[in-house]
Amino acid sequence: MADGGWPITNDGNRKPDIEKRKTNKMCGLAGHNSTQQSTFAHAAILAQLAHRGPDAQAHWGEQGIDLYHSRLSIIDTDERANQPFHGQSGRYVLVFNGEIYNFQQLKAGLSYPWQTQSDTEVLLALLIQKGKQALSELEGMFALALYDREEQTLLLARDRFGKKPLYIHQNETSFSFASEVRVLLRMHPYLNRVSADQVSNWLFWQTIPGGTLLEGIEELAPGSYAQIKDGKIFSQGSFVPENPYTTTSVSREEALATIKQKVTAAVEKRLVSDVPFATFLSGGVDSSIITAIAAQRLGKDLHTFTVSFDESQFSEHHIAAEVAKRYQTQHHEIRLKPQDFLDLLPEGLAATDHPSGDGLNTYVVSKYTQAAGFKMALSGIGGDEWFLGYPYFRRMSDWQKRSILGFGSKFQSLLSFEKRKGMEIAAAVSKYGGNAYAYQRVLFDQSSIEDYFHLNKPTLFPPQEKGPFSQALYSKQEWHYYTQPVLLRDSDQYSMAVGLELRAPFMDADLVDYALSLPDALKLGSRPKDLLISAFESELPRRVYDRQKQGFTLPWEHWIQNELRGFCQSRIMNFADRIDSPDLLPEWHRFLQGKSGVSWSRWWSVVALEDWFQRNSLQMC
């Protein structure tokens, strides 16, 4: 195992010294537009963004506009590429968070007096010459704001898959935006209010798909733009072409060849960087494929990172080591004890910008990867979504058979938690067909939200008309209700918290469009992710795919009932008071006694939600 400069711990394992290394952070942006000069404390806003990029921080402003940027240098680390970035004429100013993977190809088609080697300057030149029509040409992950000083207009845009966040707030006199909710709270403290209805929606989805919990703070939708003048949106829309995903007639052999080509191309696009590379290598199919492709291009310059636990009988670290050995990567196994993970929980929760009951594993592996000296890593997010890796895809046919059970009943409240949820899914499938797929992802079903939390039923649902039983539709719902608002939001907020940029090759437009066009029967195959595995079967050790999917197991239930009991109980009690629901506490005490039908993961989600309320001094309204 390559040591990467890590000290050797007492038990002989190598672990990065995360306390002694200087922390580099990822990019962040913010801005404000109005008819008046702002009175913000610019230094305070930059300080709020600072954890996202200390390589360079700056504010630029004039009458009616303020732009802020905090940079983690990945491409062209020269200070000339710092932001806010000004065009040669002085008319345009750009702030940008993310990476444009095809910037070299775009640059070749532009005539411009280049001053840097950065993708930022290419993006600026493209927008100057083509305006918002240029957005559909971009391949990458981005949130951007371009200000035209002559027209006094602001253009905002966000990448198609929502990998980079862009939160917005508009009041009667101004418009503000930022990479983080907390920055908007710093700019406008009166936004610290959360409605009971949004809490109900969060408990339903464990997130707010397409939005936030806070009153007055929204997200710019993925794949969309907005144009602002004098603090008002005057034009907005999507730059992603409508695609009905008509099924493509293709042979299995042709599909396998095309998938292999498109996945390989997606990884290669994301190997552009002026800093060292790493991949997260869990030992699963997706991360192993990405590692294999990256290693074939980078050779021994590729570093791989795996988290393992001594006490976990299901850890896949030995399979990850086999992949690393096959491709001769510089492999780092981060050997932790459960107590190590437990000790990191407070700072992981403190890093949370929007509440999540998941994602702290991303915080842990990101922290150690960054501490080893890396600013960027590849992640396997997306493989399950587009190639049907989750069991939910196949379960829809079972729910179709059970849909007759989906009737409302005055006795439903007497059923166990799992039976309640099952009845709700069956009822949704009966009414909405394929549009009910996302109901399988809910955290608490509607009747439990009423009974346990004394809140109104949620209001945020998938389309309420009947949809086809289509795997492409399921994939799109998976992305909209879980991948984007949970996995991508978590990967961004927890990796950014420690200064690591995560790139996700499976979230590639060309690859996704092709996967969604393939016939259901071809994609389903005989095993989860059958087409993806078959396309790369010869390049992976057999143990990567010829086994049941496992993963790290941590003693969460034991922790919550023991080491974390006081921490969790105080937050459960505070949350019960916050929503005026004393009936939540008896169920919590049944859980502590091992008698509750509500799982530890749901209780932890409530704990994380209340912790977020407290850390940000938020109020219910």
Side-chain angles (χ1 to χ4, degrees), residues 27-194:
C27 297
L29 57 85
H32 180 77
N33 176 242
S34 73
T35 57
Q36 305 295 321
Q37 184 70 41
S38 74
T39 58
F40 294 132
H42 304 313
I45 294 173
L46 286 173
Q48 191 72 46
L49 283 170
H51 68 277
R52 299 180 67 104
D55 291 343
Q57 293 181 346
H59 159 262
W60 173 85
E62 58 186 23
Q63 181 72 25
I65 185 71
D66 287 290
L67 297 175
Y68 305 86
H69 192 265
S70 183
R71 185 187 185 200
L72 175 70
S73 305
I74 299 291
I75 295 175
D76 189 353
T77 58
D78 190 278
E79 64 181 15
R80 292 177 302 172
N82 290 348
Q83 303 177 42
F85 193 88
H86 296 257
Q88 287 293 303
S89 68
R91 174 177 173 177
Y92 298 95
V93 188
L94 174 71
V95 287
F96 156 57
N97 173 28
E99 305 290 348
I100 306 301
Y101 302 131
N102 63 333
F103 81 97
Q104 294 287 17
Q105 297 94 310
L106 294 172
K107 185 175 183 178
L110 296 171
S111 176
Y112 190 80
W114 306 109
Q115 301 297 310
T116 75
Q117 300 299 314
S118 69
D119 56 344
T120 303
E121 188 173 23
V122 173
L123 176 60
L124 177 63
L126 189 72
L127 290 170
I128 289 173
Q129 295 184 24
K130 297 187 178 183
K132 66 178 184 290
Q133 286 71 29
L135 296 171
S136 61
E137 299 182 34
L138 302 177
E139 295 183 23
M141 54 180 183
F142 58 85
L144 65 87
L146 176 71
Y147 186 68
D148 182 337
R149 300 175 67 193
E150 183 175 304
E151 297 291 333
Q152 296 185 339
T153 58
L154 182 69
L155 171 67
L156 299 185
R158 187 180 180 205
D159 69 77
R160 168 179 172 175
F161 296 108
K163 288 181 282 186
K164 286 297 171 187
L166 191 56
Y167 298 103
I168 59 176
H169 166 66
Q170 182 171 317
N171 60 28
E172 293 180 357
T173 61
S174 67
F175 182 95
S176 302
F177 62 91
S179 295
E180 292 192 352
V181 168
R182 288 175 295 194
V183 176
L184 290 178
L185 285 172
R186 167 72 70 172
M187 297 169 78
H188 306 289
Y190 60 81
L191 291 174
N192 68 336
R193 299 179 69 78
V194 178

Side-chain angles (χ1 to χ4, degrees), residues 73-348:
S73 305
I74 299 291
I75 295 175
D76 189 353
T77 58
D78 190 278
E79 64 181 15
R80 292 177 302 172
N82 290 348
Q83 303 177 42
F85 193 88
H86 296 257
Q88 287 293 303
S89 68
R91 174 177 173 177
Y92 298 95
V93 188
L94 174 71
V95 287
F96 156 57
N97 173 28
E99 305 290 348
I100 306 301
Y101 302 131
N102 63 333
F103 81 97
Q104 294 287 17
Q105 297 94 310
L106 294 172
K107 185 175 183 178
L110 296 171
S111 176
Y112 190 80
W114 306 109
Q115 301 297 310
T116 75
Q117 300 299 314
S118 69
D119 56 344
T120 303
E121 188 173 23
V122 173
L123 176 60
L124 177 63
L126 189 72
L127 290 170
I128 289 173
Q129 295 184 24
K130 297 187 178 183
K132 66 178 184 290
Q133 286 71 29
L135 296 171
S136 61
E137 299 182 34
L138 302 177
E139 295 183 23
M141 54 180 183
F142 58 85
L144 65 87
L146 176 71
Y147 186 68
D148 182 337
R149 300 175 67 193
E150 183 175 304
E151 297 291 333
Q152 296 185 339
T153 58
L154 182 69
L155 171 67
L156 299 185
R158 187 180 180 205
D159 69 77
R160 168 179 172 175
F161 296 108
K163 288 181 282 186
K164 286 297 171 187
L166 191 56
Y167 298 103
I168 59 176
H169 166 66
Q170 182 171 317
N171 60 28
E172 293 180 357
T173 61
S174 67
F175 182 95
S176 302
F177 62 91
S179 295
E180 292 192 352
V181 168
R182 288 175 295 194
V183 176
L184 290 178
L185 285 172
R186 167 72 70 172
M187 297 169 78
H188 306 289
Y190 60 81
L191 291 174
N192 68 336
R193 299 179 69 78
V194 178
S195 75
D197 286 344
Q198 281 295 71
V199 171
S200 176
N201 286 327
W202 191 94
L203 290 169
F204 195 56
W205 295 112
Q206 192 196 251
T207 186
I208 302 293
T212 79
L213 271 160
L214 289 154
E215 292 286 297
I217 299 181
E218 302 175 357
E219 281 189 306
L220 187 69
S224 72
Y225 69 88
Q227 291 177 288
I228 299 97
K229 184 178 176 69
D230 296 334
K232 303 291 184 184
I233 296 177
F234 67 86
S235 174
Q236 58 187 322
S238 171
F239 58 83
V240 179
E242 286 290 330
N243 192 333
Y245 299 110
T246 303
T247 301
T248 301
S249 178
V250 61
S251 69
R252 177 178 169 82
E253 290 70 25
E254 182 181 352
L256 294 179
T258 304
I259 288 169
K260 187 169 186 177
Q261 179 270 319
K262 291 185 181 296
V263 173
T264 300
V267 174
E268 290 177 339
K269 290 175 193 176
R270 289 155 180 81
L271 297 181
V272 178
S273 173
D274 293 333
V275 297
F277 252 94
T279 68
F280 288 174
L281 179 57
S282 69
V285 170
D286 305 329
S287 65
S288 296
I289 288 173
I290 290 171
T291 296
I293 296 169
Q296 289 167 4
R297 303 306 182 272
L298 299 176
K300 294 183 179 180
D301 290 334
L302 180 67
H303 292 248
T304 49
F305 287 81
T306 299
V307 174
S308 66
F309 296 91
D310 290 335
E311 292 80 357
S312 175
Q313 60 179 314
F314 300 114
S315 175
E316 297 175 330
H317 66 279
H318 55 290
I319 302 175
E322 189 174 337
V323 175
K325 182 178 180 180
R326 177 166 180 167
Y327 288 100
Q328 297 184 308
T329 71
Q330 298 191 50
H331 190 52
H332 310 263
E333 183 181 318
I334 305 165
R335 187 70 62 84
L336 299 178
K337 297 183 182 300
Q339 187 62 43
D340 296 325
F341 193 94
L342 194 61
D343 290 343
L344 289 173
L345 283 180
E347 63 183 79

Side-chain angles (χ1 to χ4, degrees), residues 430-493:
S430 178
K431 290 181 181 178
Y432 311 126
N435 278 332
Y437 169 88
Y439 283 84
Q440 298 178 96
R441 280 290 186 186
V442 303
L443 185 67
F444 288 96
D445 62 277
Q446 297 178 62
S447 61
S448 294
I449 288 173
E450 286 187 307
D451 294 341
Y452 293 150
F453 299 96
H454 290 189
L455 294 170
N456 293 330
K457 287 186 177 180
T459 58
L460 190 57
F461 297 106
Q464 298 292 282
E465 65 270 5
K466 203 147 193 171
F469 292 101
S470 156
Q471 297 295 332
L473 175 60
Y474 304 163
S475 287
K476 287 186 282 185
Q477 286 211 345
E478 184 71 40
W479 166 77
H480 183 75
Y481 292 96
Y482 182 68
T483 309
Q484 194 280 318
V486 177
L487 295 185
L488 291 178
R489 177 142 53 188
D490 283 356
S491 69
D492 184 80
Q493 68 179 346

